[in-house]
Amino acid sequence: MRTVGVILAGGRARRMGGGDKALLDLAGRPLAAHVAGELAGHVAALALNANGDPARFARLGLPVLPDPVPGWPGPLAGVLAALDWAAGQGADAAVTAPADTPFLPPDLVPRLRAASGEGARPAVAAGPEGALHPLCALWPVRLAPALRDALDRGEAKVREFAAGQGAVTVAFTSEAAFFNVNTPEDLAAARARLAAR
């Protein structure tokens, strides 16, 4: 199964005070570069989903995919961008991960791929206590028409769409692997975590 990876950075970063979270510095590298590093060895190609001027992400060296639907409908639009791009790459599935999750499990992609039945259904990551991380997921390319229809109907919840498509949950042993950098305090905690390594 040919799988590509797409880093989701299409949000507005309100809790961070706006701007591009993907470009925030973490140990001398942009936040999104940490995510790319976790995904790169497991996918055939990588891209970034983001809106606005793509030139601001040039230093990441990734294709930039805007949301394919207008009006900032949320992360499901980023998933659709990922699926459309994956189809153009000849891929069977896309693995998505938010740009603000720099500590992803190293076996994220292979475990999602295996649980999905090699792309037969979506696979969504969860922590050890069962907390879902629905944007850390594998999405079969064949879901693009259903997702486009869902967005046209105003559906915005990733969990609901995934469940409606028969998603399987994949439990990982570390909740800390899915740590999100949402606030300045979170960024400070991520910097401290890396400094302690």
Side-chain angles (χ1 to χ4, degrees), residues 31-158:
L31 203 51
H34 291 267
V35 181
E38 294 295 345
L39 298 179
H42 303 286
V43 294
L46 263 176
L48 179 80
N49 160 244
N51 297 299
D53 183 4
R56 68 193 196 275
F57 299 106
R59 66 179 151 155
L60 294 173
L62 298 173
V64 179
L65 319 172
D67 288 349
V69 291
W72 298 82
L76 271 179
V79 174
L80 181 56
L83 294 182
D84 287 346
W85 181 71
Q89 297 292 307
D92 304 294
V95 169
T96 57
D100 61 0
T101 53
F103 304 116
L104 292 171
D107 58 349
L108 177 71
V109 175
R111 290 199 53 212
L112 291 176
R113 186 184 293 130
S116 76
E118 293 299 306
R121 60 191 179 272
V124 176
E129 303 296 320
L132 288 180
H133 300 284
L135 293 177
C136 294
L138 180 143
W139 307 93
V141 167
R142 64 173 179 75
L143 294 182
L147 179 48
R148 199 176 308 278
D149 288 346
L151 286 165
D152 287 346
R153 292 191 310 270
E155 188 171 326
K157 298 204 181 288
V158 179

